[in-house]
Amino acid sequence: MADAEREVDDVLSGNVLSVQELNDRIASVVQDTPALNGVRCIGEVTDLHKNSTALYFTLTDGDAELPCMLWANRYQKMDADLEDGTEVILEGDIDYWTEGGKIDLKPWEVIVVGDGDQAAAVERLRSELEERGWFDDEQKQRPPAFPERVGVVTSLRGDARYDIQNAIHEQDPTVDILVKDATVQGSEAPTSIANGIHHLDRSEEVDSIIVGRGGGSDSNLQAFNTERVAEAIFTANTPVVTAIGHTDDRLIADQVADVATITPTAAGEYIVNSREEFFAGEVKPLAQQLDAAYETFQQEHEHERELAEAVDEAAASEGLPPVYYKAAIAVLLLLLLAITGLWLGVI
């Protein structure tokens, strides 16, 4: 113990920096490097959000990203209208935020080039798939009301699989869940996600497939805007539910999927709650029809009883043999039964 304390003292006696001191040193290097001042960079705007003080967004070229911060008062003086998908050329300085240990680009000039290639490509694909009918309701499959085994395509390193599992097992712990690991962002993600869907659809006996991740920035969700993933969902024989964890613009994968939910938890809840929809859509209407038929039967039975009493009274007052009246009652009963049968669709 004493040796360990001496080692710590020896280290502390040297040049050991605090986090603040190290961040200050990094900031000084960044500020004093001419190559990082007055830089010009072209890319697409994504994840744009703003407040009264500044605009925050990410500049991306599809392969890399750079956080950016533009002061609101400076933006108001610019002849530029920024939105997600806009391709721009930014000129400004690279800055290092010491409190958060983050680097970003603070532009003083913004030149709008036009709609970015990535955003335009997504819209072209969306239009093409819509023309093919991939978004049509007629193509949608309904997940089974009583699933026994559910497949999940997501990253084993994320929380999405736990959210799905917990949501399902809270309602029905007997449901078996099979998770297929997949890369859910980056250049390898489309192939990885598509392969996961194909594997579960063709090799495993699952009742439905959930494809999801725990949200992320727009640029991190682009795998779900690719034709490879859309095709895997559309061609699957098993119903596919998306759970990508976002609330902004709808992704192409959501539009192709049989059911789209906004979070992994919501997807799990939908899978097990679909039985309630089954009861509401199939069983409840039948029960209502049976109730109506029973009520009609009771009413007809009451009419028969009243008619029989009237016949008995008439027979007694006229002194006629009851057999004639009973024959008349039998004929009327047959007519009533025939009418009831036609109403119920039995005859």
Side-chain angles (χ1 to χ4, degrees), residues 59-90:
L59 195 68
T60 179
D61 59 6
D63 296 321
E65 300 178 352
L66 178 64
C68 301
M69 192 275 278
L70 175 60
W71 295 113
N73 57 359
R74 177 170 288 173
Y75 174 65
Q76 292 170 359
K77 299 176 183 178
M78 294 179 175
D79 184 19
D81 186 13
L82 297 184
E83 59 183 21
D84 285 341
T86 302
E87 186 174 22
V88 295
I89 297 175
L90 303 181

Coordinates of all heavy atoms in Angstrom, one line a residue, residues 59-90:
L59 N -22.0 19.3 -40.8 CA -21.6 19.4 -42.2 C -21.0 18.0 -42.6 O -20.1 17.5 -41.9 CB -20.5 20.5 -42.5 CG -20.3 20.9 -43.9 CD1 -21.5 21.6 -44.5 CD2 -19.1 21.8 -44.0
T60 N -21.6 17.4 -43.7 CA -21.2 16.1 -44.0 C -21.0 15.9 -45.5 O -21.6 16.7 -46.3 CB -22.2 15.0 -43.6 OG1 -21.8 13.7 -43.9 CG2 -23.6 15.3 -44.2
D61 N -20.1 15.0 -45.9 CA -19.9 14.7 -47.3 C -20.3 13.3 -47.6 O -20.0 12.7 -48.6 CB -18.5 15.0 -47.8 CG -17.4 14.2 -47.0 OD1 -17.8 13.3 -46.2 OD2 -16.2 14.4 -47.2
G62 N -20.9 12.6 -46.6 CA -21.3 11.3 -46.8 C -20.3 10.3 -46.2 O -20.7 9.2 -45.8
D63 N -19.1 10.7 -46.0 CA -18.0 9.9 -45.4 C -17.6 10.4 -44.1 O -17.1 9.6 -43.2 CB -16.8 9.8 -46.4 CG -17.2 9.1 -47.7 OD1 -17.9 8.1 -47.6 OD2 -16.7 9.5 -48.7
A64 N -17.6 11.7 -43.9 CA -17.2 12.3 -42.6 C -18.1 13.4 -42.2 O -18.9 13.9 -43.0 CB -15.7 12.8 -42.8
E65 N -18.0 13.8 -40.9 CA -18.9 14.8 -40.4 C -18.0 15.9 -39.6 O -17.0 15.5 -39.1 CB -19.9 14.2 -39.5 CG -20.8 13.2 -40.1 CD -21.8 12.6 -39.1 OE1 -21.7 12.9 -37.9 OE2 -22.7 11.9 -39.5
L66 N -18.6 17.1 -39.6 CA -17.9 18.2 -38.8 C -19.0 19.0 -38.2 O -19.9 19.6 -38.8 CB -17.1 19.1 -39.8 CG -16.4 20.2 -39.1 CD1 -15.4 19.8 -38.1 CD2 -15.8 21.1 -40.2
P67 N -19.0 19.1 -36.8 CA -20.0 19.9 -36.1 C -19.7 21.4 -36.5 O -18.6 21.8 -36.6 CB -19.7 19.6 -34.7 CG -18.9 18.3 -34.6 CD -18.1 18.3 -35.9
C68 N -20.8 22.2 -36.6 CA -20.7 23.6 -36.9 C -21.6 24.4 -36.0 O -22.7 23.9 -35.5 CB -21.1 23.9 -38.3 SG -20.1 23.0 -39.5
M69 N -21.2 25.6 -35.7 CA -22.0 26.5 -34.9 C -21.9 27.9 -35.5 O -20.8 28.4 -35.7 CB -21.5 26.6 -33.4 CG -22.5 27.3 -32.5 SD -22.2 29.1 -32.4 CE -20.9 29.2 -31.3
L70 N -23.1 28.5 -35.8 CA -23.2 29.8 -36.4 C -24.0 30.7 -35.6 O -25.1 30.4 -35.2 CB -23.8 29.7 -37.8 CG -24.1 30.9 -38.6 CD1 -22.8 31.7 -38.9 CD2 -24.8 30.6 -39.9
W71 N -23.4 31.8 -35.2 CA -24.1 32.8 -34.3 C -25.3 33.3 -35.0 O -25.3 33.6 -36.2 CB -23.2 33.9 -33.9 CG -22.0 33.5 -33.1 CD1 -20.7 33.6 -33.4 CD2 -22.1 33.0 -31.7 NE1 -19.9 33.1 -32.4 CE2 -20.7 32.8 -31.3 CE3 -23.1 32.8 -30.8 CZ2 -20.4 32.3 -30.1 CZ3 -22.8 32.3 -29.6 CH2 -21.5 32.0 -29.2
A72 N -26.5 33.4 -34.3 CA -27.7 33.8 -34.9 C -27.7 35.2 -35.4 O -28.2 35.5 -36.5 CB -28.8 33.7 -33.8
N73 N -27.0 36.1 -34.7 CA -27.0 37.5 -35.2 C -26.2 37.6 -36.5 O -26.5 38.4 -37.4 CB -26.5 38.5 -34.2 CG -25.1 38.1 -33.7 OD1 -24.5 37.1 -34.1 ND2 -24.5 38.9 -32.8
R74 N -25.2 36.8 -36.7 CA -24.4 36.8 -37.9 C -25.2 36.1 -39.1 O -25.2 36.6 -40.2 CB -23.1 36.0 -37.7 CG -22.3 35.9 -38.9 CD -20.9 35.3 -38.6 NE -20.1 36.3 -37.9 CZ -18.9 36.1 -37.4 NH1 -18.4 34.9 -37.4 NH2 -18.2 37.1 -36.8
Y75 N -26.0 35.1 -38.7 CA -26.8 34.4 -39.7 C -27.9 35.3 -40.3 O -28.2 35.2 -41.5 CB -27.4 33.1 -39.1 CG -28.4 32.4 -40.0 CD1 -27.9 31.8 -41.2 CD2 -29.7 32.3 -39.7 CE1 -28.8 31.1 -42.0 CE2 -30.6 31.6 -40.5 CZ -30.2 31.0 -41.6 OH -31.1 30.3 -42.4
Q76 N -28.5 36.1 -39.4 CA -29.5 37.0 -39.8 C -29.1 38.0 -40.9 O -29.9 38.5 -41.7 CB -30.1 37.7 -38.6 CG -30.9 36.8 -37.7 CD -31.2 37.5 -36.4 OE1 -30.9 38.7 -36.1 NE2 -31.9 36.8 -35.5
K77 N -27.8 38.3 -40.9 CA -27.2 39.3 -41.9 C -26.8 38.6 -43.2 O -26.4 39.3 -44.1 CB -26.0 40.0 -41.2 CG -26.4 40.8 -40.0 CD -25.1 41.4 -39.4 CE -25.5 42.2 -38.1 NZ -24.3 42.7 -37.4
M78 N -26.9 37.3 -43.2 CA -26.4 36.5 -44.4 C -27.6 36.3 -45.4 O -28.7 36.2 -45.0 CB -25.9 35.2 -44.0 CG -24.6 35.2 -43.2 SD -24.0 33.6 -42.7 CE -22.5 33.9 -41.9
D79 N -27.2 36.3 -46.6 CA -28.2 36.0 -47.7 C -28.2 34.5 -47.9 O -27.8 34.0 -48.9 CB -27.9 36.7 -49.0 CG -28.9 36.5 -50.0 OD1 -30.1 36.1 -49.7 OD2 -28.6 36.7 -51.2
A80 N -28.6 33.7 -46.9 CA -28.6 32.3 -46.9 C -29.7 31.7 -46.1 O -30.1 32.2 -45.1 CB -27.3 31.7 -46.4
D81 N -30.3 30.7 -46.7 CA -31.4 30.0 -46.0 C -31.0 28.5 -45.8 O -31.1 27.7 -46.8 CB -32.7 30.1 -46.8 CG -33.9 29.5 -46.1 OD1 -33.8 29.3 -44.9 OD2 -35.0 29.3 -46.8
L82 N -30.6 28.2 -44.6 CA -30.1 26.8 -44.3 C -31.2 25.9 -43.9 O -32.1 26.3 -43.1 CB -29.1 26.9 -43.3 CG -27.8 27.7 -43.6 CD1 -26.8 27.5 -42.4 CD2 -27.2 27.2 -44.9
E83 N -31.2 24.7 -44.4 CA -32.1 23.6 -44.0 C -31.4 22.3 -44.2 O -30.4 22.2 -45.0 CB -33.4 23.7 -44.7 CG -33.3 23.6 -46.2 CD -34.7 23.7 -46.8 OE1 -35.6 24.3 -46.2 OE2 -34.8 23.2 -48.0
D84 N -31.9 21.2 -43.6 CA -31.3 19.9 -43.8 C -31.3 19.6 -45.3 O -32.3 19.7 -46.0 CB -32.1 18.9 -43.0 CG -31.8 18.9 -41.6 OD1 -30.8 19.5 -41.2 OD2 -32.6 18.4 -40.8
G85 N -30.1 19.1 -45.8 CA -30.0 18.7 -47.2 C -29.4 19.8 -48.1 O -29.1 19.5 -49.2
T86 N -29.2 21.0 -47.5 CA -28.7 22.1 -48.3 C -27.2 21.9 -48.5 O -26.5 21.7 -47.5 CB -29.0 23.5 -47.7 OG1 -30.4 23.6 -47.5 CG2 -28.4 24.6 -48.5
E87 N -26.7 22.0 -49.7 CA -25.2 21.9 -49.9 C -24.6 23.4 -49.8 O -25.2 24.3 -50.4 CB -24.9 21.3 -51.2 CG -23.4 21.1 -51.4 CD -23.1 20.4 -52.7 OE1 -23.9 20.4 -53.6 OE2 -22.0 19.8 -52.8
V88 N -23.6 23.5 -49.0 CA -23.0 24.9 -48.7 C -21.5 24.8 -48.8 O -20.9 23.8 -48.6 CB -23.5 25.4 -47.4 CG1 -25.0 25.6 -47.3 CG2 -23.1 24.5 -46.2
I89 N -21.0 26.0 -49.0 CA -19.5 26.2 -48.8 C -19.4 27.1 -47.6 O -20.0 28.2 -47.6 CB -18.9 26.9 -50.0 CG1 -19.0 25.9 -51.2 CG2 -17.4 27.2 -49.7 CD1 -18.4 26.5 -52.5
L90 N -18.7 26.7 -46.5 CA -18.5 27.5 -45.3 C -17.1 28.0 -45.3 O -16.1 27.3 -45.6 CB -18.8 26.6 -44.1 CG -20.2 26.0 -44.0 CD1 -20.3 25.2 -42.7 CD2 -21.3 27.0 -44.1

